[in-house]
Amino acid sequence: MLRTRALEIFLARIEARAFRIASIALSNEADALDAVQEAMIKLARRYASRPEADWAPLFHRILTNSIRDSLRRRRVRTRWLMPFRAERAEEAAPAWPEPADPAGDPLAGLEAEEAWRILAEGLRSLPDRQREAFVLRALEGFDVAQCAQAMGCSEGSVKTHYFRAVHALRGRLEER
Amino acid sequence: MNDELLTRRAREVYLESASSLDAATRTALAVSRRRALASSGAGNLGQGAWWPSGAVAAAVMLAAMLWISPRPGTEAYHASLDEAGLSELMALGQELGLGDEEPELYAWLGQP
């Protein structure tokens, strides 16, 4: 019973952040909710008996896979069922707003939701592995070993992806 | 904007956005969490927690039975044996049709 309670606390603590991460990649709230739910169910079913310290890297690994599956399904749908609608959606993507403080921090002085939208757009522009490395390392605060566990790659790869992500994101935000 | 500032601000924005989700999304996430916990089976997770309490209950019952049951050499032990023996004799006597003839004899046999 204590373990169930511990798992519930873990999921309650992580679910909102997981939703934001899924939203970055999927750009769709319903799909993001589905991906988070799938990750929570898989963690609870398969890995609840693992040490609690492993839950966060495992959860993010499952979430990453759920997001990839969702994107794959969407690509198939888009390619075969809705080619014209997808093109129109891309054309209608919102432009980035004017910077609030061009000289300094591009995210300074913005409303929370607006700052998040800008950051999410910047992260969305990164390649998948770079985005994953940045999310885990910078946003979730994982160390390199945990990132490697969550991403299923070597620590050297994590460092490379993270380094490139930081520089690409900085350039993207400074362009504004 | 240096790398440290970028990552710090990004984390602040991220955490703030996660804490300011709308009520509908928070509710949907809570429902998902409950589904996940239910699907894990309170059963699967709880099995480990149940068996020790079952073992403790069995041990307590065993101890209680040992404590309550009469020990050899005590009056209660003999009384219980005699009661059991008397019942057997009475049953046997009834089978043989002797129960009505010599009830005092069997009562006497049952005395310690």
Side-chain angles (χ1 to χ4, degrees), chain A residues 15 37 105 139-140 170, chain B residues 1 3 9 11 14 33:
Chain A
E15 64 195 16
Q37 176 170 282
D105 176 2
L139 304 189
E140 279 293 312
R170 190 178 64 191
Chain B
M1 188 183 195
D3 294 351
R9 284 290 294 131
R11 183 170 164 76
Y14 167 65
R33 186 194 338 137

Side-chain angles (χ1 to χ4, degrees), chain B residues 5-73:
Chain B
L5 176 62
L6 169 71
T7 53
R8 185 160 49 81
R9 284 290 294 131
R11 183 170 164 76
E12 286 170 5
V13 168
Y14 167 65
L15 294 178
E16 196 171 344
S17 75
S19 65
S20 61
L21 287 178
D22 60 89
T25 306
R26 284 203 304 271
T27 303
L29 288 168
V31 169
S32 297
R33 186 194 338 137
R34 281 196 290 274
R35 272 188 199 146
L37 290 168
S39 74
S40 74
N44 291 342
L45 290 172
Q47 276 174 2
W50 279 107
W51 77 261
S53 56
V56 169
V60 168
M61 282 185 66
L62 182 62
M65 286 170 66
L66 290 173
W67 179 260
I68 290 167
S69 66
R71 294 168 196 168

